[in-house]
Amino acid sequence: MSFSCLTHIMVVIKHHIKLLISFVSPFLKASLDYHTSSDSDATGATVDSEQSHDEHANCDGVVGASMDSENGHDVENSDEEEGSLNDEPEQQALYDHTTSESDSTGVSLDIGHIVEDCDEAEVSLDDEHEQQSLDDYTNSGSEGLGFEHHSSSHTDDYDGGDDTTSDSEQMVNDDMMRSPLYQGALVTLGQTILLLMAFAVIVGLTHDGLQTLLQILSLILPQDSHLPATKYLFKKLFKTGKYDFHVYCPKCCCVLENNACKRCHQDFDKNELMKNGNFFFTLPLIDQLKHSLETSNLGESLNKKTRPTNPDTISDIMDGKLYKQMCKDSNLKKDYSFSLTFNSDGVPIFKSSSFSIWPLLCHINELPPNIRKKTMFLTGLWFGPKKPSISTFFRPFINEMKTLSSVGFEWCSNAKIVKSYVYAIICSCDSVARAMLQNIKQFNGKFGCNWCLHPGERVEKGKGHVQVYPFHEEVTERSHTDMIKYQRNVGTGENFGVKGPTPLSSLPFFDIVSGFIVDSMDCIDLGVMRQLSTLWFDSSFHKEPWYIGTRANEIDRKIEQFQPPSNITRMPRSILTRAYWKASEWRAFLLFYAPIVLKSVLPRKFFEHFLLLCQAVYALQTTCITQLELFYASQHLNEFVLNFETLYGRPHMTYNVHILLHLSDSVRNWGPLWCYSAYSFEGCNGFLLKLYNGTQSVPLQIVTSFLLLKEVESMGKVLMQNAHPRVQQLFDTVVDGFNATKHVRRVNGTVFFWSWLL
């Protein structure tokens, strides 16, 4: 193991220890005060419980104070496209799923053994089998906050054999959940349970770790505490959302029915297929939408009539030309109806294997921007060594969207029943996934553009050939109608890159061409900007007139002098480390650093050419774009692409450079680039990677942990009402773990980080 890897592991362990201390410290301090008060009572001293409670409320050491600085700013704890990876998967044991099939969450899935779901006792598991329990977080029959359990028949495999009855193992009802954890405590029993469960899910705490944490707290807390002392009792307090489990044929990817494939007419052993990864999960979207809308009070935010509009500007998706047209043609114009942006992309799970997950995510476009990113819905999860079959994986989502767009669903908003119609109208994904979803040739093939009929051409580059897209004055745009025609005529003539039908063509009110947007993260930040930096700094271009690699140290010294604003989520790094930059770092370099540090370094004609891209992208990223600004941005991008071949040569006219010509159309149709950028989806993908530990039953761990965290957020709306400010702040920080920020300040070249949790 390298020193850098060891250092990273130590930093992660240190962060988790600090977060654990922040949880335990309120209980430890309050418990010490409690016992001190008890001793004082025994000696005859007078104790004022109300005063004691106030002292606890004013204590500065409970969760720590926030350190603000004039030169400080918030930096995200992890980049949005970044996620942790496990080094050593055990591929042959990845899927110890159940011999029993289930279409809902209430069933435990396990091939090797069955964990029964009962209220009377918990099945003891050997240590080597403990990690194979697929539904350990959700394997309960609880239907609400309270439950009734008799400890006489309960045995826990972590208790060392002797199991004693405690107060926490008695009936816990709603009143107890809202009562103080113990006399004088800052938190209620329910708030404590939510904090602990959120902490366990966010940091990937193992089942052994959760059990140990509960045992530690049972020793620290006073005897009148009702906190469950075992993970079995603890988990029974949470109910779970629904999910469906599908096994498919390894040959044609058709979902099996009764162990048989209708298309291949062949029988299969489902257990064997599950071990090989031939399965996927779907989560009913309607249940998630209804649950979130009712518990988060988002109804008023969905009322589009309350949003200020200006016909001469574009400030959100609702200002787009196609969105306005759709409002005229569908029920989207109704107050409580809304639309979705969806995304699917591969996320590697292990460094040492090809297994990856393909989450199907979506968010509500009509929500305010500050909460749109946080209200993410997981509607499907594909897992395996191969890319998903679109016709198989997307079929449940498409069928559900047909129902939601034609029938809608009812939910309660401010004590009244309202009806919402839902439409999936925008797909945000990278170039590889976009070609799969449209079922056309990839960008390196003839007619590989997703929006026009540019044929491209093959040219020599290095020792091989590449597909390039030279600038053409007039190119025919693709249309939804033509795409449907080409899909039907595959094999009978020229189909302009269309390989066959796609199930997304049947998605209600979804345009198979314009419904796909040009994603700024994939096209610009990780595309054109990274390509330009390679041309400028890679030594293989040292003979070219644009090469400035010899002045990299000079550029680094200028970058180090920057004090980035709070909306830049990462501190600037050396240009020599650009191979490790994340998309957000390329975005910051394009919009903020490069126009300044390259002014006297890059030759003038190349610098002025680069500024065309800067000005256009900056205008299209703003929160309010006028029609005039949109026109000038389109002109700048056309000029940038036109002159790119002259300055850098035809071999560098890549697909990403070409689709800059379609960037303005995306903004005109659907709003500014930030509205549908893949950054929020990549951030959620990185968050999903934190929801499992070990290599056993990875997809089910992710699904159940995601649903469990949603339930914690929902319960928090009730149990965190009138909570102590420090308790509320801690809960918000833990639940929003993947968006957590740290305060940072640079002093004499050294970057210091701190958090209010420290």
Side-chain angles (χ1 to χ4, degrees):
M1 183 181 292
S2 65
F3 177 76
S4 61
C5 292
L6 183 61
T7 303
H8 176 71
I9 293 174
M10 293 176 65
V11 170
V12 173
I13 293 175
K14 180 180 178 182
H15 172 71
H16 287 174
I17 291 175
K18 291 178 179 178
L19 191 56
L20 177 59
I21 291 174
S22 70
F23 273 95
V24 176
S25 60
F27 306 134
L28 182 60
K29 177 177 176 56
S31 178
L32 179 61
D33 293 342
Y34 172 85
H35 289 296
T36 303
S37 299
S38 299
D39 294 340
S40 299
D41 289 341
T43 57
T46 301
V47 179
D48 188 342
S49 61
E50 183 177 356
Q51 179 180 356
S52 175
H53 177 75
D54 292 339
E55 290 174 356
H56 283 294
N58 294 326
C59 176
D60 292 334
V62 177
V63 291
S66 175
M67 302 175 63
D68 296 325
S69 170
E70 183 179 58
N71 295 324
H73 65 284
D74 290 340
V75 175
E76 288 193 2
N77 193 20
S78 62
D79 199 23
E80 292 169 325
E81 62 271 17
E82 192 172 12
S84 60
L85 302 176
N86 284 38
D87 292 332
E88 302 192 10
E90 302 173 13
Q91 295 183 17
Q92 66 275 19
L94 280 174
Y95 310 103
D96 287 338
H97 288 285
T98 75
T99 54
S100 62
E101 297 178 31
S102 170
D103 284 340
S104 62
T105 32
V107 180
S108 171
L109 304 175
D110 195 349
I111 289 176
H113 58 280
I114 299 178
V115 181
E116 296 181 355
D117 185 8
C118 61
D119 292 334
E120 295 297 325
E122 180 184 15
V123 178
S124 298
L125 304 177
D126 295 333
D127 290 340
E128 63 179 356
H129 288 158
E130 171 64 16
Q131 200 175 17
Q132 296 179 5
S133 176
L134 288 176
D135 209 358
D136 207 19
Y137 274 119
T138 60
N139 187 20
S140 68
S142 172
E143 295 296 330
L145 298 179
F147 71 94
E148 182 173 359
H149 183 78
H150 301 285
S151 62
S152 59
S153 62
H154 173 70
T155 58
D156 195 285
D157 51 317
Y158 296 97
D159 289 340
D162 295 331
D163 190 20
T164 60
T165 302
S166 66
D167 292 340
S168 63
E169 293 176 335
Q170 305 302 322
M171 183 177 65
V172 177
N173 53 43
D174 290 351
D175 291 337
M176 294 176 62
M177 295 288 280
R178 291 175 172 82
S179 63
L181 181 61
Y182 53 84
Q183 184 180 359
L186 289 176
V187 293
T188 65
L189 174 62
Q191 293 167 1
T192 303
I193 290 173
L194 291 185
L195 286 169
L196 291 174
M197 182 55 81
F199 169 77
V201 175
I202 292 295
V203 304
L205 197 63
T206 63
H207 306 312
D208 289 345
L210 177 60
Q211 176 66 29
T212 303
L213 177 59
L214 292 173
Q215 289 178 334
I216 292 174
L217 291 176
S218 67
L219 295 175
I220 295 174
L221 295 173
Q223 293 299 317
D224 62 347
S225 168
H226 294 281
L227 184 69
T230 64
K231 65 179 179 63
Y232 172 70
L233 297 174
F234 184 77
K235 291 179 293 182
K236 283 184 69 65
L237 294 169
F238 296 89
K239 60 182 180 180
T240 337
K242 297 179 181 179
Y243 61 80
D244 298 326
F245 179 72
H246 309 274
V247 181
Y248 59 87
C249 172
K251 296 182 179 180
C252 64
C253 292
C254 180
V255 175
L256 299 185
E257 295 182 6
N258 299 323
N259 296 324
C261 177
K262 287 187 175 181
R263 188 177 303 173
C264 298
H265 305 289
Q266 183 176 351
D267 293 334
F268 293 94
D269 181 0
K270 283 192 175 182
N271 295 336
E272 189 65 27
L273 292 180
M274 287 186 289
K275 288 183 179 180
N276 296 331
N278 298 112
F279 66 92
F280 66 95
F281 291 93
T282 57
L283 296 79
L285 179 59
I286 187 171
D287 293 339
Q288 297 184 64
L289 291 173
K290 185 175 180 180
H291 187 72
S292 295
L293 291 171
E294 290 182 342
T295 59
S296 301
N297 297 323
L298 298 178
E300 295 304 320
S301 299
L302 292 175
N303 194 332
K304 298 179 285 294
K305 292 183 179 180
T306 62
R307 176 180 170 270
T309 59
N310 186 340
D312 297 326
T313 61
I314 300 175
S315 58
D316 208 339
I317 291 176
M318 287 74 77
D319 298 322
K321 181 180 69 174
L322 292 186
Y323 185 93
K324 292 180 178 179
Q325 182 62 43
M326 188 174 176
C327 286
K328 297 178 181 179
D329 301 336
S330 69
N331 287 319
L332 186 58
K333 58 181 174 292
K334 295 186 177 181
D335 288 345
Y336 292 98
S337 295
F338 53 89
S339 62
L340 303 175
T341 295
F342 61 97
N343 164 278
S344 187
D345 194 10
V347 185
I349 288 289
F350 308 111
K351 289 183 178 179
S352 55
S353 79
S354 60
F355 280 84
S356 61
I357 59 172
W358 284 73
L360 178 52
L361 301 166
C362 56
H363 63 63
I364 300 176
N365 297 323
E366 286 75 11
L367 289 177
N370 60 328
I371 61 176
R372 185 181 306 170
K373 173 183 175 182
K374 299 180 181 179
T375 311
M376 195 73 68
F377 303 96
L378 176 66
T379 65
L381 186 69
W382 183 281
F383 182 72
K386 298 180 180 179
K387 296 177 182 179
S389 167
I390 302 304
S391 60
T392 300
F393 182 44
F394 272 75
R395 184 61 61 187
F397 172 72
I398 293 173
N399 291 337
E400 190 168 18
M401 291 309 306
K402 289 180 179 179
T403 302
L404 289 172
S405 61
S406 60
V407 180
F409 73 101
E410 294 182 344
W411 53 284
C412 183
S413 175
N414 294 329
K416 68 176 181 178
I417 300 299
V418 299
K419 190 172 186 178
S420 295
Y421 295 89
V422 187
Y423 303 87
I425 60 175
I426 301 175
C427 182
S428 174
C429 57
D430 62 17
S431 301
V432 176
R434 187 163 54 243
M436 288 176 52
L437 295 175
Q438 284 184 312
N439 200 14
I440 68 173
K441 291 182 179 180
Q442 291 287 346
F443 58 88
N444 56 355
K446 187 177 181 181
F447 294 107
C449 179
N450 305 92
W451 296 279
C452 71
L453 299 182
H454 194 307
E457 62 181 71
R458 305 291 290 181
V459 300
E460 293 185 3
K461 185 177 181 181
K463 298 181 180 180
H465 293 77
V466 295
Q467 181 80 0
V468 298
Y469 294 82
F471 181 83
H472 289 176
E473 289 289 345
E474 295 183 3
V475 179
T476 303
E477 300 292 326
R478 292 186 184 270
S479 69
H480 179 84
T481 303
D482 289 340
M483 289 284 283
I484 300 299
K485 181 179 67 175
Y486 299 147
Q487 292 172 10
R488 294 171 179 170
N489 298 333
V490 169
T492 61
E494 180 60 73
N495 293 305
F496 300 98
V498 176
K499 298 164 62 176
T502 171
L504 267 68
S505 298
S506 62
L507 192 62
F509 291 92
F510 181 76
D511 191 306
I512 198 62
V513 177
S514 300
F516 290 91
I517 50 84
V518 182
D519 173 40
S520 61
M521 186 189 80
D522 180 56
C523 168
I524 302 172
D525 304 330
L526 292 176
V528 177
M529 190 60 249
R530 186 160 59 179
Q531 178 186 351
L532 285 173
S533 73
T534 301
L535 293 171
W536 294 337
F537 299 105
D538 195 298
S539 59
S540 61
F541 300 103
H542 67 280
K543 294 182 179 180
E544 302 295 344
W546 62 74
Y547 179 70
I548 55 175
T550 56
R551 305 183 67 176
N553 291 331
E554 177 185 347
I555 294 174
D556 284 346
R557 287 193 296 269
K558 293 181 179 180
I559 290 179
E560 289 178 356
Q561 297 175 7
F562 279 92
Q563 294 292 336
S566 60
N567 61 332
I568 296 182
T569 57
R570 280 180 172 266
M571 294 294 288
R573 290 194 284 175
S574 169
I575 197 70
L576 300 177
T577 63
R578 65 188 183 278
Y580 307 100
W581 283 10
K582 301 298 180 182
S584 60
E585 294 178 275
W586 287 114
R587 177 179 58 187
F589 186 75
L590 167 66
L591 298 177
F592 300 101
Y593 306 143
I596 298 176
V597 301
L598 298 181
K599 184 176 182 179
S600 58
V601 177
L602 193 65
R604 182 173 180 177
K605 62 179 180 179
F606 296 98
F607 180 71
E608 291 179 349
H609 176 255
F610 170 67
L611 288 183
L612 293 174
L613 179 66
C614 294
Q615 292 172 343
V617 174
Y618 184 85
L620 300 180
Q621 289 274 21
T622 56
T623 57
C624 186
I625 306 172
T626 65
Q627 294 297 330
L628 183 60
E629 289 172 335
L630 181 59
F631 171 78
Y632 280 125
S634 179
Q635 292 294 103
H636 291 333
L637 290 173
N638 285 337
E639 186 176 353
F640 178 83
V641 176
L642 173 64
N643 295 331
F644 198 96
E645 181 178 347
T646 303
L647 293 175
Y648 295 101
R650 178 163 291 198
H652 301 296
M653 292 292 293
T654 62
Y655 173 74
N656 284 324
V657 174
H658 165 71
I659 61 176
L660 290 175
L661 298 174
H662 303 291
L663 202 63
S664 299
D665 289 334
S666 289
V667 175
R668 187 175 292 107
N669 292 333
W670 301 114
L673 298 178
W674 59 265
C675 298
Y676 37 76
S677 168
Y679 273 103
S680 59
F681 296 106
E682 290 297 320
C684 188
N685 287 340
F687 171 69
L688 293 178
L689 292 178
K690 301 177 182 179
L691 299 185
Y692 75 95
N693 50 72
T695 59
Q696 307 292 330
S697 311
V698 170
L700 186 65
Q701 288 188 60
I702 294 175
V703 168
T704 53
S705 295
F706 180 86
L707 292 173
L708 181 58
L709 193 58
K710 288 292 184 182
E711 178 64 17
V712 169
E713 294 177 355
S714 174
M715 293 171 64
K717 300 295 182 181
V718 178
L719 295 178
M720 287 293 169
Q721 291 181 359
N722 302 320
H724 189 281
R726 292 195 179 106
V727 175
Q728 182 68 58
Q729 187 179 19
L730 181 58
F731 177 77
D732 293 340
T733 301
V734 175
V735 170
D736 199 26
F738 74 104
N739 289 323
T741 59
K742 291 182 178 180
H743 297 285
V744 62
R745 184 179 182 183
R746 188 197 297 274
V747 180
N748 296 328
T750 302
V751 180
F752 294 91
F753 295 90
W754 67 88
S755 170
W756 66 270
L757 288 173
L758 301 182

Short mmCIF file of all heavy atoms in Angstrom, two decimals, residues 429-449:
data_model
loop_
_atom_site.label_atom_id
_atom_site.label_comp_id
_atom_site.label_asym_id
_atom_site.label_seq_id
_atom_site.Cartn_x
_atom_site.Cartn_y
_atom_site.Cartn_z
N CYS A 429 -27.17 13.19 -19.46
CA CYS A 429 -26.21 12.09 -19.32
C CYS A 429 -25.00 12.38 -20.21
O CYS A 429 -25.00 13.34 -20.99
CB CYS A 429 -26.84 10.75 -19.68
SG CYS A 429 -27.56 10.68 -21.33
N ASP A 430 -23.98 11.55 -20.09
CA ASP A 430 -22.78 11.76 -20.89
C ASP A 430 -22.97 11.20 -22.30
O ASP A 430 -24.01 10.62 -22.64
CB ASP A 430 -21.55 11.17 -20.21
CG ASP A 430 -21.65 9.66 -20.04
OD1 ASP A 430 -22.49 9.02 -20.71
OD2 ASP A 430 -20.89 9.11 -19.21
N SER A 431 -21.95 11.35 -23.14
CA SER A 431 -22.08 11.00 -24.56
C SER A 431 -22.29 9.51 -24.77
O SER A 431 -23.06 9.10 -25.65
CB SER A 431 -20.83 11.46 -25.31
OG SER A 431 -20.66 12.86 -25.19
N VAL A 432 -21.62 8.68 -23.99
CA VAL A 432 -21.74 7.23 -24.16
C VAL A 432 -23.14 6.76 -23.79
O VAL A 432 -23.78 6.02 -24.54
CB VAL A 432 -20.68 6.50 -23.29
CG1 VAL A 432 -20.87 5.00 -23.37
CG2 VAL A 432 -19.28 6.89 -23.73
N ALA A 433 -23.64 7.19 -22.64
CA ALA A 433 -24.98 6.80 -22.22
C ALA A 433 -26.04 7.37 -23.14
O ALA A 433 -27.07 6.72 -23.41
CB ALA A 433 -25.23 7.25 -20.78
N ARG A 434 -25.82 8.57 -23.65
CA ARG A 434 -26.81 9.21 -24.53
C ARG A 434 -27.00 8.40 -25.82
O ARG A 434 -28.13 8.20 -26.28
CB ARG A 434 -26.37 10.63 -24.85
CG ARG A 434 -27.39 11.44 -25.61
CD ARG A 434 -27.08 12.92 -25.54
NE ARG A 434 -25.73 13.25 -25.95
CZ ARG A 434 -24.79 13.79 -25.16
NH1 ARG A 434 -25.08 14.07 -23.90
NH2 ARG A 434 -23.58 14.05 -25.61
N ALA A 435 -25.91 7.91 -26.41
CA ALA A 435 -26.01 7.10 -27.62
C ALA A 435 -26.72 5.78 -27.33
O ALA A 435 -27.50 5.28 -28.16
CB ALA A 435 -24.61 6.83 -28.18
N MET A 436 -26.49 5.20 -26.13
CA MET A 436 -27.19 3.97 -25.75
C MET A 436 -28.69 4.21 -25.63
O MET A 436 -29.50 3.40 -26.11
CB MET A 436 -26.64 3.47 -24.41
CG MET A 436 -25.26 2.87 -24.47
SD MET A 436 -24.67 2.44 -22.81
CE MET A 436 -26.05 1.43 -22.21
N LEU A 437 -29.07 5.31 -25.00
CA LEU A 437 -30.48 5.59 -24.79
C LEU A 437 -31.20 5.93 -26.09
O LEU A 437 -32.37 5.57 -26.28
CB LEU A 437 -30.64 6.72 -23.77
CG LEU A 437 -30.16 6.42 -22.35
CD1 LEU A 437 -30.27 7.66 -21.48
CD2 LEU A 437 -30.96 5.28 -21.74
N GLN A 438 -30.52 6.63 -27.00
CA GLN A 438 -31.12 6.93 -28.30
C GLN A 438 -31.02 5.75 -29.27
O GLN A 438 -31.71 5.74 -30.29
CB GLN A 438 -30.44 8.15 -28.93
CG GLN A 438 -30.83 9.48 -28.33
CD GLN A 438 -30.19 10.64 -29.07
OE1 GLN A 438 -28.99 10.63 -29.34
NE2 GLN A 438 -30.99 11.64 -29.41
N ASN A 439 -30.13 4.81 -28.94
CA ASN A 439 -29.86 3.65 -29.80
C ASN A 439 -29.34 4.09 -31.16
O ASN A 439 -29.83 3.66 -32.22
CB ASN A 439 -31.10 2.76 -29.96
CG ASN A 439 -30.73 1.34 -30.41
OD1 ASN A 439 -29.56 0.95 -30.35
ND2 ASN A 439 -31.71 0.59 -30.85
N ILE A 440 -28.33 4.95 -31.12
CA ILE A 440 -27.64 5.36 -32.34
C ILE A 440 -26.16 5.05 -32.17
O ILE A 440 -25.71 4.61 -31.11
CB ILE A 440 -27.84 6.87 -32.63
CG1 ILE A 440 -27.12 7.72 -31.58
CG2 ILE A 440 -29.32 7.23 -32.69
CD1 ILE A 440 -27.12 9.20 -31.91
N LYS A 441 -25.40 5.27 -33.22
CA LYS A 441 -23.96 5.02 -33.16
C LYS A 441 -23.29 5.97 -32.17
O LYS A 441 -23.75 7.08 -31.96
CB LYS A 441 -23.34 5.20 -34.55
CG LYS A 441 -23.75 4.13 -35.55
CD LYS A 441 -23.05 4.34 -36.88
CE LYS A 441 -23.46 3.25 -37.88
NZ LYS A 441 -22.78 3.45 -39.20
N GLN A 442 -22.19 5.48 -31.60
CA GLN A 442 -21.42 6.31 -30.68
C GLN A 442 -20.76 7.46 -31.44
O GLN A 442 -20.72 7.48 -32.67
CB GLN A 442 -20.37 5.48 -29.95
CG GLN A 442 -20.93 4.49 -28.95
CD GLN A 442 -21.44 5.16 -27.69
OE1 GLN A 442 -21.16 6.34 -27.44
NE2 GLN A 442 -22.22 4.43 -26.90
N PHE A 443 -20.23 8.41 -30.69
CA PHE A 443 -19.67 9.63 -31.28
C PHE A 443 -18.49 9.35 -32.20
O PHE A 443 -18.12 10.19 -33.03
CB PHE A 443 -19.24 10.60 -30.18
CG PHE A 443 -18.23 10.05 -29.24
CD1 PHE A 443 -16.88 10.13 -29.50
CD2 PHE A 443 -18.63 9.41 -28.07
CE1 PHE A 443 -15.94 9.62 -28.63
CE2 PHE A 443 -17.71 8.89 -27.19
CZ PHE A 443 -16.35 8.98 -27.46
N ASN A 444 -17.85 8.17 -32.08
CA ASN A 444 -16.71 7.85 -32.93
C ASN A 444 -17.11 7.09 -34.19
O ASN A 444 -16.26 6.51 -34.87
CB ASN A 444 -15.68 7.04 -32.15
CG ASN A 444 -16.26 5.78 -31.54
OD1 ASN A 444 -17.47 5.54 -31.63
ND2 ASN A 444 -15.41 4.97 -30.94
N GLY A 445 -18.42 7.07 -34.49
CA GLY A 445 -18.90 6.44 -35.72
C GLY A 445 -19.54 7.46 -36.64
O GLY A 445 -19.77 8.62 -36.29
N LYS A 446 -19.86 7.02 -37.85
CA LYS A 446 -20.47 7.91 -38.84
C LYS A 446 -21.86 8.31 -38.38
O LYS A 446 -22.62 7.48 -37.91
CB LYS A 446 -20.53 7.21 -40.20
CG LYS A 446 -21.00 8.12 -41.33
CD LYS A 446 -20.97 7.39 -42.67
CE LYS A 446 -21.42 8.30 -43.80
NZ LYS A 446 -21.42 7.60 -45.11
N PHE A 447 -22.19 9.57 -38.51
CA PHE A 447 -23.45 10.16 -38.03
C PHE A 447 -23.61 9.91 -36.52
O PHE A 447 -24.67 9.49 -36.06
CB PHE A 447 -24.65 9.58 -38.79
CG PHE A 447 -24.69 9.96 -40.24
CD1 PHE A 447 -24.41 9.01 -41.21
CD2 PHE A 447 -24.99 11.26 -40.63
CE1 PHE A 447 -24.44 9.35 -42.55
CE2 PHE A 447 -25.03 11.61 -41.96
CZ PHE A 447 -24.74 10.65 -42.93
N GLY A 448 -22.55 10.17 -35.79
CA GLY A 448 -22.56 9.94 -34.35
C GLY A 448 -23.06 11.10 -33.52
O GLY A 448 -23.16 10.98 -32.30
N CYS A 449 -23.40 12.23 -34.15
CA CYS A 449 -23.93 13.36 -33.39
C CYS A 449 -25.37 13.09 -33.01
O CYS A 449 -26.17 12.60 -33.81
CB CYS A 449 -23.84 14.65 -34.21
SG CYS A 449 -24.50 16.09 -33.34
#
